[in-house]
Amino acid sequence: MDGHVSIEDHSVEDGSRTRNSGAAKEPRATNPSDNDPSTPMAAEGAGGPTPQPPPGRRPLTEEERAARLEQRRQRDREHMERQLEEEEELVLKYGAQHVIKLFIPVSLCMLVVVATVASVTFYSEKGIYLLYTPFHETSDSVAKNVMGAFVNAFIILALVVVLTFFLILLYKFRCYKIIHGWLIISSLLLLFFFTLLYLMELLRGYNIGLDWITVSLIVWNFGVMGMVCIHWQGPLRLQQAYLIFVASLMSLMFIKYLPEYTVWVVLAVISVWGEYTVWVVLAVISVWDLVAVLCPKGPLRILVETAQERNEPIFPALIYSSNILYSSLTMAESSTPSTSTTDNGGSHDGGEAVADPLQQDHHAPAPAGGVGRPTISTAPSSSRRRRSSEAEAGFGPEWEAGRQQREAARQRRVAEHGEASAPDVAGGGGAQQPQEEEDEEERGVKLGLGDFIFYSVLVGKASSYGDWNTTIACFIAILIGLCLTLIMLAIFKKALPALPISITFGLIFYFATSYFVVPFAENLASEQVFI
Amino acid sequence: MTVAQFFGCGMITFGPPLVLFIITMAKDPIRVIMLVASSFFWLLSLLFSSMLYKVVGPLQPYLAFGALFSVLFQEFFRLLWFMLIRKAEVGLKKVSEDNLEIIENKHILAYVSGVGFGLISGAFALVNVLADMTGPGTVGLYGDSPSFFIATTFTSLAFIFLHVCWGVIFFAAMHTRRYLLIAYVIMSHLLASAITLLNPLYAVTVPLVWLVLVVTAVIALCVAGVSPASVRNSLKFSDRAYRVDAVDVGATDSRAHL
């Protein structure tokens, strides 16, 4: 109800000041008192730094001001409650958009892996194994193989844990150079060596001849471009494509070089198919993921929080950022220097506002991160947005946790959504530029590359048995798990591990499908009975 | 030849639903999520029915039994899915505030979940057959019908469309409590499934299934309120005016909620 009032209030002002650039971004810093604020603290605190209102705006008289403040205090509590609710809605709404933005890359990654596994036998052949898995599960005794699988899994897990802690330590002590070097070397390896391997196997699989000169030219160009894109600069689409490719290469490696063994222990299902360290590793990794992200002192939590303390993006964090669209938008405009942001944004917003006065409403969910104010994050972020890729650690997802920041971002979003121009709560009056950029950048759902890798390992492994029903079932189950994780993200509002739910769903559906559904579906298909 | 057949059959079955998906759903994240979630429900129904099939060992040779229960399970899960959507409607309203279309026009969700059911059931019916299509080998060497693949393909397509229609009819019937229509959905599903039990007789089964599809589609169109006039309207490309209206309504509505 009070919202309604505030909106009317607002629209009156709109009429008088013809909604200038302030509508979306300016007013936070300039004239907070003419909007419905989120807290009195913000309103009062912001009163100080307020300079004179922008030229087009009607200055408020003292009485008006006082009356408004009073009103505001009265309804403040309600407002806060409402805001909390709205916040939740927004996260959900936000989620709906970003779920899709994660669906696409995850599906693409799986597609690459599945297509490769299905068409190139090299990746489903066994024989060579990773150094870390000394037990090759060749013995006849089931118990021995299971033991071997577990030992393998724990060795790999230990490796991942050690590497993660190592990374955290480096990060903690700001040894950025070492981390960068590490990442560069690992991506160098992936982009050149593994790409070469992949290309060769692909050619061999399709029985195509190609001379070495051409191959080396292709690999060189591909690799160098990848290095440039991942570690320095490049169109975002290209960068994301490289990240997806790197992730799928990595999961192909896992599929190929992990010895196969039993998972039935893990699921207490003695399955006909059960065999594979991969499965054990998947289960163990998802547990590790859970611990790492959720424990109060879990390493990934520390990483995320340290990053937030230092007010910088999780830089080495091998993260796939979901705001592809926004990013490409910003990339497109990033030539404009950041000083011109307001102009740019102004014309943008103003134009739309003229065309459609309701624009603010029906645009509401999207602009939160992007369309509405794409320019703010422009120039500086383009250099920061380099997400690096790292291979070994299967570690988890960082969904931009960080209470304060997200809260601030969200509040701002809420404010914007509701009032189209509310003062920033967290930033007080002087919402400084860096903070803002930060929020811009961290907005959106992010998924660790490790998640991509392990999702693809699961689906690829499922497809390597040649049954497509199982593959589809795993795929759907993983997507649903991802959805559920995102819903939980909206509820708990902190960084969550993306692997456990999805992988558990995937495993359950893998085994259930291959044990129950496949015989039934095969009968149906061969008898041509449709259900 | 095998590869050509693979692509041809794949396109026949998945082309039309794919076009539906791209034109009507791909742009709206909520619809895509609903699509995936509804196919998940279908997957659950299949899982339960095949568990049942597995458990009752002696009846395994009789596929009719499995098909019967599978159909019942599918309709049951359609009901569950409907109830879930109904429960989630409030949340859905919040999530899709920018286009209330999806809430106001109940048929959209019904249609989306119908496509979800159809796509996944078509996929499960066909993908392995498709994979076999790429060879090596040829159908019909041992006296089987050489039109095995093409019959499967067309029947799958019919079932995908049937699922879409069933989704629309079922949801509308639940909303308006016309239980006769629900009975029709279940009966026609059973009927279509039973027809395919005759299956090497392609000349009989394929036309019959398509006949069921035509009847069901007519009913679904009636239920969704399609009239000759509305068809003419939609063909006039006047949907732009329409869409603006929808946005208007949605926007004012969300204002009112505030």
Side-chain angles (χ1 to χ4, degrees), chain A residues 145-188:
Chain A
N145 285 338
V146 172
M147 280 309 294
F150 268 105
V151 173
N152 283 341
F154 282 111
I155 291 174
I156 289 178
L157 181 66
L159 196 77
V160 169
V161 172
V162 168
L163 284 178
T164 314
F165 272 108
F166 187 55
L167 187 73
I168 306 298
L169 279 183
L170 286 178
Y171 192 65
K172 202 95 183 157
F173 296 110
R174 295 170 193 261
C175 308
Y176 295 138
K177 291 248 164 75
I178 301 179
I179 302 180
H180 269 308
W182 178 6
L183 292 175
I184 285 173
I185 288 174
S186 60
S187 49
L188 200 72

Side-chain angles (χ1 to χ4, degrees), chain A residues 524-525 528-531, chain B residues 9-10 12-14 16-17 117-130 133 148-164 166 196 199 206 209-210 213:
Chain A
L524 287 178
Q528 289 183 299
V529 176
F530 288 79
I531 51 170
Chain B
C9 290
I12 289 172
T13 304
F14 295 115
F117 269 60
L119 265 181
I120 187 84
S121 77
F124 264 70
L126 200 70
V127 276
N128 278 327
V129 179
L130 274 181
M133 247 176 239
F148 179 94
F149 285 146
I150 200 78
T152 301
T153 312
F154 274 105
T155 322
S156 301
L157 179 60
F159 268 79
I160 293 176
F161 281 142
L162 273 172
H163 268 291
V164 178
W166 286 329
T196 59
N199 226 345
V206 177
V209 168
W210 277 84
L213 169 62

Side-chain angles (χ1 to χ4, degrees), chain A residues 31 33-34 53 58-69:
Chain A
N31 193 358
S33 56
D34 69 341
R58 172 172 57 101
L60 297 168
T61 65
E62 283 305 312
E63 295 142 38
E64 265 179 316
R65 221 171 240 222
R68 274 195 199 155
L69 271 179

